[in-house]
Amino acid sequence: MDSTLLKFTLPALIGLAISATPAAAVEQNCRFIQAKAEREACYKRQEEELAAKRKPAPVTGENKTLESMRQMRQDDDAVYRSINNICRGC
């Protein structure tokens, strides 16, 4: 029983350790860099990476089509509501 547990646990732990290492290498704490120029370059790099992550995805043809269909649906709903308010045969 223990050998079976070891067979599955050891590879899982090794895989976890390997996958966690690049994440730690990417995260860098700029405030501990002594040289001012290097520290400012580090802050600028982090700012650019953060801006790239926050940047919305470019509008593709599929997104544009979906957006136009949604807008048409809203327009249709507004027209249907206004038609229902018309008195028929008062």
Coordinates of all heavy atoms in Angstrom, one line a residue:
M1 N 0.8 -1.2 0.0 CA 0.0 0.0 0.0 C 0.9 1.3 0.0 O 0.6 2.2 -0.7 CB -0.9 0.0 1.2 CG -1.8 1.2 1.4 SD -3.4 0.8 0.7 CE -4.2 2.2 1.2
D2 N 1.9 1.3 0.8 CA 2.8 2.4 0.9 C 3.6 2.6 -0.4 O 3.8 3.8 -0.8 CB 3.7 2.3 2.1 CG 3.0 2.4 3.4 OD1 2.0 3.1 3.5 OD2 3.5 1.8 4.4
S3 N 4.0 1.6 -1.0 CA 4.7 1.7 -2.3 C 3.8 2.3 -3.4 O 4.3 3.0 -4.2 CB 5.3 0.4 -2.7 OG 4.3 -0.6 -3.0
T4 N 2.6 1.9 -3.4 CA 1.6 2.4 -4.4 C 1.4 3.9 -4.2 O 1.4 4.7 -5.1 CB 0.3 1.7 -4.3 OG1 0.5 0.3 -4.4 CG2 -0.7 2.1 -5.4
L5 N 1.3 4.3 -3.0 CA 1.1 5.7 -2.6 C 2.3 6.5 -3.0 O 2.2 7.6 -3.6 CB 0.8 5.9 -1.1 CG 0.6 7.3 -0.6 CD1 -0.7 7.8 -1.3 CD2 0.5 7.3 0.9
L6 N 3.5 5.9 -2.8 CA 4.7 6.6 -3.1 C 4.9 6.7 -4.6 O 5.4 7.7 -5.1 CB 5.9 5.8 -2.5 CG 7.3 6.4 -2.7 CD1 7.3 7.8 -2.0 CD2 8.4 5.5 -2.2
K7 N 4.4 5.7 -5.4 CA 4.5 5.7 -6.8 C 3.7 6.9 -7.4 O 4.1 7.4 -8.4 CB 4.0 4.4 -7.4 CG 5.0 3.3 -7.3 CD 4.4 2.0 -7.9 CE 5.3 0.8 -7.6 NZ 4.7 -0.4 -8.2
F8 N 2.6 7.2 -6.8 CA 1.8 8.3 -7.4 C 2.1 9.6 -6.8 O 2.0 10.6 -7.5 CB 0.3 7.9 -7.1 CG -0.2 6.8 -7.9 CD1 -0.6 5.6 -7.3 CD2 -0.3 6.9 -9.3 CE1 -1.0 4.5 -8.0 CE2 -0.7 5.8 -10.0 CZ -1.1 4.6 -9.4
T9 N 2.5 9.7 -5.6 CA 2.8 10.9 -4.9 C 4.1 11.6 -5.3 O 4.1 12.8 -5.6 CB 2.8 10.7 -3.4 OG1 1.6 10.0 -3.0 CG2 2.9 12.0 -2.6
L10 N 5.1 10.8 -5.5 CA 6.4 11.3 -5.9 C 6.4 12.0 -7.2 O 6.8 13.1 -7.4 CB 7.5 10.2 -5.8 CG 8.9 10.6 -6.0 CD1 9.3 11.6 -5.0 CD2 9.8 9.4 -6.0
P11 N 5.8 11.4 -8.3 CA 5.7 12.1 -9.6 C 4.9 13.3 -9.5 O 5.2 14.4 -10.2 CB 5.1 11.1 -10.5 CG 5.4 9.8 -9.9 CD 5.4 10.0 -8.4
A12 N 3.8 13.3 -8.7 CA 2.9 14.5 -8.6 C 3.7 15.6 -7.9 O 3.6 16.8 -8.4 CB 1.7 14.1 -7.8
L13 N 4.5 15.3 -6.9 CA 5.2 16.4 -6.2 C 6.3 16.9 -7.1 O 6.6 18.1 -7.1 CB 5.8 15.8 -4.9 CG 4.8 15.6 -3.8 CD1 5.5 14.9 -2.6 CD2 4.2 16.8 -3.4
I14 N 7.0 16.0 -7.9 CA 8.0 16.5 -8.8 C 7.4 17.4 -9.9 O 7.9 18.5 -10.2 CB 8.7 15.3 -9.5 CG1 9.6 14.6 -8.4 CG2 9.6 15.8 -10.6 CD1 10.2 13.3 -8.8
G15 N 6.2 17.0 -10.4 CA 5.6 17.8 -11.4 C 5.1 19.2 -10.9 O 5.3 20.2 -11.5
L16 N 4.7 19.2 -9.6 CA 4.3 20.4 -9.0 C 5.5 21.3 -8.8 O 5.4 22.5 -9.0 CB 3.6 20.1 -7.7 CG 3.1 21.3 -6.9 CD1 2.0 22.1 -7.6 CD2 2.6 20.9 -5.5
A17 N 6.6 20.8 -8.4 CA 7.8 21.6 -8.1 C 8.3 22.2 -9.5 O 8.7 23.3 -9.5 CB 8.9 20.7 -7.5
I18 N 8.2 21.4 -10.5 CA 8.7 21.9 -11.8 C 7.8 23.0 -12.3 O 8.3 24.0 -12.9 CB 8.8 20.7 -12.8 CG1 10.0 19.8 -12.4 CG2 9.0 21.3 -14.2 CD1 10.1 18.6 -13.2
S19 N 6.5 22.8 -12.2 CA 5.6 23.8 -12.7 C 5.6 25.1 -11.9 O 5.3 26.2 -12.4 CB 4.2 23.3 -12.8 OG 3.7 23.0 -11.5
A20 N 5.9 25.1 -10.6 CA 5.9 26.2 -9.7 C 7.2 27.1 -9.9 O 7.2 28.2 -9.6 CB 5.8 25.8 -8.3
T21 N 8.3 26.5 -10.4 CA 9.5 27.2 -10.5 C 9.5 28.3 -11.5 O 9.9 29.4 -11.2 CB 10.6 26.2 -10.9 OG1 10.7 25.1 -9.9 CG2 12.0 26.9 -11.0
P22 N 8.9 28.2 -12.7 CA 8.9 29.3 -13.6 C 8.1 30.5 -13.1 O 8.4 31.6 -13.3 CB 8.3 28.8 -14.9 CG 8.5 27.3 -14.8 CD 8.5 27.0 -13.4
A23 N 7.0 30.2 -12.3 CA 6.2 31.3 -11.8 C 7.0 32.1 -10.8 O 6.9 33.3 -10.8 CB 4.9 30.7 -11.1
A24 N 7.8 31.5 -10.0 CA 8.6 32.2 -9.0 C 9.7 33.0 -9.7 O 10.1 34.1 -9.3 CB 9.2 31.2 -8.0
A25 N 10.2 32.5 -10.8 CA 11.3 33.2 -11.6 C 10.7 34.5 -12.3 O 11.4 35.5 -12.4 CB 11.9 32.3 -12.6
V26 N 9.5 34.4 -12.7 CA 8.9 35.5 -13.4 C 8.6 36.7 -12.4 O 8.8 37.8 -12.7 CB 7.6 35.1 -14.1 CG1 6.8 36.3 -14.7 CG2 7.9 34.1 -15.3
E27 N 8.1 36.3 -11.3 CA 7.7 37.3 -10.3 C 9.0 37.9 -9.7 O 9.9 37.2 -9.2 CB 6.9 36.7 -9.2 CG 6.4 37.7 -8.2 CD 5.5 37.1 -7.2 OE1 4.7 36.3 -7.5 OE2 5.6 37.5 -6.0
Q28 N 9.2 39.2 -9.8 CA 10.4 39.8 -9.4 C 10.1 41.0 -8.5 O 9.2 41.8 -8.9 CB 11.2 40.3 -10.6 CG 12.6 40.8 -10.2 CD 13.4 41.2 -11.5 OE1 12.8 41.3 -12.6 NE2 14.7 41.4 -11.4
N29 N 10.7 41.2 -7.4 CA 10.5 42.3 -6.5 C 11.5 43.4 -6.8 O 12.7 43.2 -6.4 CB 10.6 41.8 -5.1 CG 9.8 42.7 -4.2 OD1 9.5 43.8 -4.5 ND2 9.5 42.2 -3.0
C30 N 11.1 44.4 -7.4 CA 12.0 45.5 -7.9 C 12.5 46.3 -6.8 O 13.6 46.9 -6.9 CB 11.3 46.4 -8.9 SG 10.7 45.5 -10.4
R31 N 11.8 46.4 -5.7 CA 12.3 47.3 -4.6 C 13.6 46.9 -4.0 O 14.2 47.7 -3.3 CB 11.2 47.5 -3.6 CG 10.9 46.3 -2.8 CD 9.8 46.6 -1.8 NE 9.4 45.3 -1.2 CZ 8.5 45.2 -0.3 NH1 7.9 46.3 0.1 NH2 8.2 44.0 0.2
F32 N 14.0 45.7 -4.2 CA 15.3 45.2 -3.6 C 16.5 45.4 -4.5 O 17.6 45.1 -4.1 CB 15.1 43.8 -3.1 CG 14.1 43.6 -2.0 CD1 13.0 42.8 -2.2 CD2 14.3 44.2 -0.8 CE1 12.1 42.7 -1.2 CE2 13.4 44.0 0.2 CZ 12.3 43.3 0.0
I33 N 16.3 45.9 -5.7 CA 17.4 46.1 -6.6 C 18.0 47.4 -6.2 O 17.4 48.5 -6.0 CB 16.9 46.2 -8.1 CG1 16.3 44.9 -8.5 CG2 18.0 46.6 -9.0 CD1 15.6 44.9 -9.8
Q34 N 19.4 47.4 -6.0 CA 20.1 48.5 -5.4 C 20.3 49.6 -6.5 O 20.1 50.8 -6.1 CB 21.4 48.1 -4.9 CG 21.3 47.1 -3.7 CD 20.6 47.8 -2.5 OE1 20.9 49.0 -2.2 NE2 19.8 47.0 -1.8
A35 N 20.7 49.3 -7.7 CA 21.0 50.3 -8.7 C 19.7 51.0 -9.1 O 18.7 50.3 -9.5 CB 21.7 49.7 -9.9
K36 N 19.7 52.3 -9.1 CA 18.4 53.0 -9.4 C 18.0 52.8 -10.9 O 16.8 52.6 -11.1 CB 18.7 54.5 -9.2 CG 17.4 55.3 -9.4 CD 17.7 56.8 -9.2 CE 16.4 57.6 -9.4 NZ 16.6 59.0 -9.2
A37 N 18.9 52.8 -11.8 CA 18.5 52.6 -13.2 C 17.9 51.2 -13.5 O 16.9 51.1 -14.2 CB 19.8 52.8 -14.1
E38 N 18.5 50.2 -12.8 CA 18.0 48.8 -13.0 C 16.7 48.7 -12.3 O 15.8 48.0 -12.8 CB 19.0 47.8 -12.4 CG 20.3 47.7 -13.2 CD 21.2 46.7 -12.5 OE1 20.8 45.9 -11.7 OE2 22.4 46.8 -12.8
R39 N 16.5 49.3 -11.2 CA 15.2 49.3 -10.4 C 14.1 49.9 -11.2 O 13.0 49.4 -11.4 CB 15.4 50.0 -9.1 CG 14.2 49.8 -8.2 CD 14.4 50.4 -6.8 NE 14.8 51.7 -6.8 CZ 16.0 52.2 -6.3 NH1 16.9 51.3 -5.9 NH2 16.3 53.4 -6.4
E40 N 14.4 51.1 -11.8 CA 13.4 51.8 -12.6 C 13.1 51.0 -13.9 O 11.9 50.9 -14.3 CB 13.9 53.2 -13.0 CG 13.9 54.1 -11.8 CD 14.5 55.5 -12.1 OE1 14.9 55.7 -13.2 OE2 14.4 56.3 -11.2
A41 N 14.1 50.3 -14.5 CA 13.8 49.5 -15.7 C 12.9 48.3 -15.3 O 12.0 47.9 -16.0 CB 15.1 49.0 -16.2
C42 N 13.2 47.8 -14.1 CA 12.3 46.7 -13.6 C 10.9 47.1 -13.4 O 10.0 46.4 -13.8 CB 12.9 46.1 -12.3 SG 12.0 44.8 -11.6
Y43 N 10.7 48.3 -12.8 CA 9.3 48.8 -12.6 C 8.7 49.0 -14.0 O 7.5 48.7 -14.1 CB 9.4 50.1 -11.8 CG 9.6 50.0 -10.4 CD1 10.5 50.7 -9.7 CD2 8.8 49.0 -9.6 CE1 10.7 50.6 -8.3 CE2 9.0 48.9 -8.3 CZ 9.9 49.7 -7.6 OH 10.1 49.5 -6.3
K44 N 9.4 49.5 -14.9 CA 8.8 49.8 -16.3 C 8.4 48.5 -16.9 O 7.4 48.4 -17.5 CB 9.8 50.6 -17.1 CG 9.3 50.9 -18.5 CD 10.2 51.8 -19.2 CE 9.7 52.0 -20.6 NZ 9.5 53.4 -21.0
R45 N 9.3 47.5 -16.8 CA 9.0 46.2 -17.4 C 7.7 45.6 -16.8 O 6.8 45.1 -17.5 CB 10.1 45.2 -17.1 CG 10.9 44.8 -18.4 CD 11.8 43.7 -18.1 NE 12.4 43.5 -16.7 CZ 13.5 44.1 -16.3 NH1 14.2 44.8 -17.1 NH2 13.9 43.9 -15.1
Q46 N 7.6 45.7 -15.4 CA 6.4 45.2 -14.8 C 5.1 46.0 -15.2 O 4.1 45.4 -15.4 CB 6.6 45.3 -13.3 CG 7.4 44.2 -12.7 CD 7.5 44.3 -11.2 OE1 7.1 45.3 -10.6 NE2 8.0 43.2 -10.6
E47 N 5.3 47.3 -15.4 CA 4.2 48.1 -15.8 C 3.7 47.7 -17.2 O 2.5 47.6 -17.4 CB 4.6 49.5 -15.8 CG 3.5 50.5 -16.1 CD 3.9 51.9 -16.0 OE1 4.7 52.3 -15.2 OE2 3.5 52.7 -16.9
E48 N 4.7 47.4 -18.1 CA 4.3 47.0 -19.4 C 3.6 45.7 -19.5 O 2.7 45.4 -20.2 CB 5.5 47.0 -20.3 CG 6.1 48.4 -20.6 CD 7.4 48.4 -21.3 OE1 8.0 47.3 -21.4 OE2 7.9 49.5 -21.7
E49 N 4.1 44.7 -18.6 CA 3.5 43.4 -18.6 C 2.1 43.5 -18.0 O 1.2 42.8 -18.5 CB 4.4 42.5 -17.7 CG 5.7 42.1 -18.3 CD 6.6 41.3 -17.3 OE1 6.1 41.1 -16.2 OE2 7.7 41.0 -17.7
L50 N 1.9 44.3 -17.0 CA 0.6 44.5 -16.4 C -0.4 45.1 -17.5 O -1.5 44.7 -17.6 CB 0.6 45.4 -15.2 CG -0.7 45.6 -14.4 CD1 -1.2 44.2 -13.9 CD2 -0.4 46.5 -13.2
A51 N 0.1 46.1 -18.2 CA -0.7 46.8 -19.2 C -1.1 45.8 -20.3 O -2.2 45.8 -20.8 CB 0.0 48.0 -19.8
A52 N -0.1 44.9 -20.7 CA -0.4 43.9 -21.7 C -1.5 42.9 -21.2 O -2.3 42.5 -22.0 CB 0.8 43.2 -22.1
K53 N -1.5 42.6 -19.9 CA -2.5 41.7 -19.4 C -3.8 42.3 -19.4 O -4.8 41.7 -19.6 CB -2.1 41.2 -18.0 CG -0.9 40.3 -18.0 CD -0.6 39.9 -16.5 CE 0.6 39.0 -16.5 NZ 1.0 38.7 -15.1
R54 N -3.9 43.6 -19.1 CA -5.2 44.3 -18.9 C -5.7 44.7 -20.3 O -6.9 45.1 -20.4 CB -5.0 45.6 -18.1 CG -4.8 45.3 -16.7 CD -4.7 46.5 -15.9 NE -4.5 46.2 -14.5 CZ -4.2 47.1 -13.6 NH1 -4.1 48.4 -13.9 NH2 -4.0 46.8 -12.3
K55 N -4.9 44.7 -21.3 CA -5.4 45.2 -22.6 C -6.5 44.2 -23.1 O -6.3 43.0 -23.1 CB -4.2 45.1 -23.6 CG -4.5 45.7 -25.0 CD -3.2 45.7 -25.8 CE -3.5 46.3 -27.2 NZ -2.3 46.3 -28.0
P56 N -7.6 44.8 -23.6 CA -8.7 44.0 -24.1 C -8.3 43.3 -25.4 O -7.5 43.7 -26.1 CB -9.9 44.9 -24.3 CG -9.2 46.2 -24.5 CD -7.9 46.2 -23.7
A57 N -8.9 42.1 -25.6 CA -8.7 41.4 -26.8 C -9.1 42.2 -28.1 O -10.1 42.9 -28.0 CB -9.4 40.1 -26.8
P58 N -8.4 42.1 -29.1 CA -8.8 42.9 -30.3 C -10.1 42.4 -30.9 O -10.4 41.2 -30.8 CB -7.6 42.6 -31.3 CG -7.0 41.4 -30.8 CD -7.2 41.3 -29.4
V59 N -10.8 43.3 -31.5 CA -12.2 42.9 -32.0 C -12.0 42.1 -33.3 O -11.3 42.6 -34.2 CB -13.0 44.2 -32.3 CG1 -14.3 43.8 -32.9 CG2 -13.2 45.0 -31.0
T60 N -12.5 40.9 -33.3 CA -12.4 40.1 -34.5 C -13.7 40.1 -35.2 O -14.7 40.7 -34.7 CB -12.0 38.6 -34.1 OG1 -13.1 38.1 -33.2 CG2 -10.7 38.6 -33.4
G61 N -13.8 39.5 -36.3 CA -15.0 39.4 -37.1 C -16.1 38.8 -36.3 O -17.3 39.2 -36.4
E62 N -15.8 37.7 -35.6 CA -16.8 37.0 -34.8 C -17.4 37.8 -33.7 O -18.6 37.9 -33.5 CB -16.2 35.7 -34.3 CG -17.2 34.8 -33.6 CD -16.6 33.5 -33.1 OE1 -15.9 32.9 -33.9 OE2 -16.8 33.2 -31.9
N63 N -16.5 38.6 -33.0 CA -16.9 39.4 -31.9 C -17.8 40.6 -32.5 O -18.7 41.0 -31.9 CB -15.7 40.0 -31.2 CG -15.0 38.9 -30.4 OD1 -15.6 37.9 -30.1 ND2 -13.8 39.2 -29.9
K64 N -17.4 41.1 -33.6 CA -18.1 42.2 -34.2 C -19.5 41.7 -34.6 O -20.5 42.4 -34.4 CB -17.4 42.7 -35.5 CG -18.0 44.0 -36.0 CD -17.3 44.4 -37.3 CE -16.0 45.1 -37.0 NZ -15.4 45.7 -38.2
T65 N -19.6 40.5 -35.2 CA -20.9 40.0 -35.6 C -21.8 39.8 -34.4 O -23.0 40.1 -34.4 CB -20.7 38.7 -36.3 OG1 -19.9 38.9 -37.4 CG2 -22.1 38.1 -36.8
L66 N -21.2 39.2 -33.3 CA -22.0 39.0 -32.1 C -22.5 40.3 -31.5 O -23.6 40.4 -31.1 CB -21.1 38.2 -31.1 CG -21.8 37.9 -29.8 CD1 -23.0 36.9 -30.0 CD2 -20.8 37.2 -28.8
E67 N -21.6 41.3 -31.5 CA -22.0 42.6 -31.0 C -23.1 43.3 -31.8 O -24.0 43.8 -31.2 CB -20.7 43.5 -30.9 CG -21.0 44.9 -30.3 CD -21.4 44.8 -28.9 OE1 -20.9 43.9 -28.2 OE2 -22.1 45.7 -28.4
S68 N -23.0 43.2 -33.1 CA -24.0 43.8 -34.0 C -25.4 43.0 -33.8 O -26.4 43.7 -33.8 CB -23.6 43.8 -35.4 OG -23.5 42.4 -35.9
M69 N -25.3 41.7 -33.6 CA -26.6 41.0 -33.4 C -27.2 41.4 -32.0 O -28.4 41.5 -31.9 CB -26.3 39.5 -33.4 CG -26.0 38.9 -34.8 SD -25.6 37.2 -34.8 CE -27.2 36.5 -34.3
R70 N -26.4 41.6 -31.0 CA -26.9 42.0 -29.7 C -27.5 43.4 -29.8 O -28.6 43.6 -29.3 CB -25.8 42.0 -28.7 CG -26.3 42.2 -27.3 CD -25.3 41.9 -26.2 NE -23.9 42.2 -26.6 CZ -23.2 43.0 -25.9 NH1 -23.6 43.6 -24.8 NH2 -21.9 43.2 -26.2
Q71 N -26.9 44.3 -30.6 CA -27.4 45.6 -30.7 C -28.8 45.6 -31.5 O -29.7 46.3 -31.1 CB -26.4 46.5 -31.5 CG -26.9 47.9 -31.7 CD -27.0 48.6 -30.4 OE1 -26.3 48.4 -29.4 NE2 -28.1 49.5 -30.3
M72 N -28.8 44.7 -32.5 CA -30.1 44.6 -33.3 C -31.2 44.1 -32.4 O -32.4 44.5 -32.4 CB -29.9 43.7 -34.5 CG -29.2 44.4 -35.6 SD -29.3 43.4 -37.2 CE -28.5 41.9 -36.8
R73 N -30.9 43.1 -31.5 CA -31.9 42.6 -30.5 C -32.4 43.7 -29.6 O -33.6 43.7 -29.4 CB -31.2 41.4 -29.7 CG -32.1 40.9 -28.6 CD -33.3 40.2 -29.1 NE -32.8 38.9 -29.6 CZ -33.7 37.9 -30.0 NH1 -34.9 38.2 -30.0 NH2 -33.2 36.8 -30.4
Q74 N -31.5 44.5 -29.1 CA -31.9 45.6 -28.3 C -32.8 46.6 -29.0 O -33.8 47.0 -28.5 CB -30.7 46.3 -27.7 CG -29.9 45.5 -26.7 CD -28.6 46.2 -26.2 OE1 -28.2 47.2 -26.8 NE2 -28.0 45.7 -25.2
D75 N -32.5 46.9 -30.3 CA -33.3 47.8 -31.1 C -34.7 47.2 -31.3 O -35.7 47.9 -31.2 CB -32.6 48.1 -32.4 CG -31.3 48.9 -32.2 OD1 -31.1 49.5 -31.2 OD2 -30.5 48.9 -33.2
D76 N -34.7 45.9 -31.6 CA -36.0 45.2 -31.8 C -36.9 45.2 -30.6 O -38.1 45.5 -30.7 CB -35.8 43.8 -32.3 CG -35.2 43.6 -33.7 OD1 -35.3 44.6 -34.4 OD2 -34.7 42.5 -34.0
D77 N -36.2 45.0 -29.4 CA -37.0 45.0 -28.2 C -37.6 46.4 -27.9 O -38.7 46.5 -27.5 CB -36.1 44.6 -27.0 CG -35.8 43.1 -27.0 OD1 -36.5 42.4 -27.7 OD2 -34.8 42.7 -26.4
A78 N -36.8 47.4 -28.2 CA -37.3 48.8 -28.1 C -38.5 49.1 -29.0 O -39.5 49.7 -28.6 CB -36.2 49.8 -28.3
V79 N -38.4 48.6 -30.2 CA -39.5 48.8 -31.2 C -40.8 48.0 -30.7 O -41.9 48.6 -30.7 CB -39.1 48.4 -32.6 CG1 -40.3 48.3 -33.5 CG2 -38.1 49.3 -33.1
Y80 N -40.6 46.8 -30.3 CA -41.7 46.0 -29.8 C -42.4 46.6 -28.6 O -43.6 46.6 -28.5 CB -41.3 44.6 -29.5 CG -40.9 43.8 -30.7 CD1 -39.8 42.8 -30.6 CD2 -41.4 43.9 -31.9 CE1 -39.4 42.1 -31.6 CE2 -41.0 43.2 -33.0 CZ -40.0 42.3 -32.9 OH -39.6 41.6 -34.0
R81 N -41.6 47.2 -27.7 CA -42.2 47.9 -26.5 C -43.0 49.1 -27.0 O -44.1 49.4 -26.4 CB -41.1 48.3 -25.5 CG -40.8 47.2 -24.6 CD -39.8 47.6 -23.6 NE -38.5 47.4 -24.3 CZ -37.4 48.0 -24.2 NH1 -37.2 48.9 -23.3 NH2 -36.3 47.7 -24.9
S82 N -42.5 49.9 -27.9 CA -43.2 51.0 -28.4 C -44.5 50.7 -29.1 O -45.5 51.4 -29.1 CB -42.3 51.9 -29.3 OG -42.0 51.3 -30.5
I83 N -44.5 49.6 -29.9 CA -45.7 49.1 -30.6 C -46.7 48.7 -29.6 O -47.9 48.9 -29.8 CB -45.3 48.0 -31.6 CG1 -44.5 48.5 -32.8 CG2 -46.6 47.3 -32.1 CD1 -44.0 47.4 -33.7
N84 N -46.4 48.0 -28.5 CA -47.3 47.6 -27.6 C -48.0 48.7 -26.9 O -49.1 48.6 -26.3 CB -46.7 46.6 -26.5 CG -46.4 45.3 -27.1 OD1 -47.0 44.8 -28.0 ND2 -45.4 44.6 -26.5
N85 N -47.4 49.9 -26.8 CA -48.0 51.0 -26.1 C -49.0 51.8 -27.0 O -49.7 52.7 -26.6 CB -46.9 52.0 -25.7 CG -46.1 51.4 -24.6 OD1 -46.6 50.6 -23.8 ND2 -44.9 51.9 -24.4
I86 N -49.1 51.4 -28.3 CA -50.0 52.1 -29.2 C -51.4 51.5 -29.0 O -51.6 50.3 -28.9 CB -49.6 51.8 -30.7 CG1 -48.3 52.5 -31.0 CG2 -50.7 52.3 -31.6 CD1 -47.7 52.2 -32.4
C87 N -52.4 52.4 -28.9 CA -53.8 52.0 -28.6 C -54.4 51.5 -29.9 O -54.4 52.2 -30.9 CB -54.6 53.2 -28.1 SG -56.3 52.8 -27.8
R88 N -54.9 50.3 -29.9 CA -55.4 49.7 -31.2 C -57.0 49.7 -31.0 O -57.5 48.9 -30.2 CB -54.9 48.3 -31.3 CG -53.4 48.2 -31.6 CD -52.9 46.8 -31.8 NE -51.4 46.9 -31.8 CZ -50.7 45.9 -31.4 NH1 -51.2 44.8 -31.0 NH2 -49.4 46.0 -31.4
G89 N -57.6 50.5 -31.8 CA -59.0 50.5 -31.9 C -59.7 51.1 -30.7 O -60.8 50.7 -30.3
C90 N -59.0 52.1 -30.1 CA -59.6 52.8 -28.9 C -60.9 53.5 -29.3 O -61.0 54.3 -30.1 CB -58.7 53.8 -28.3 SG -57.1 53.0 -27.7

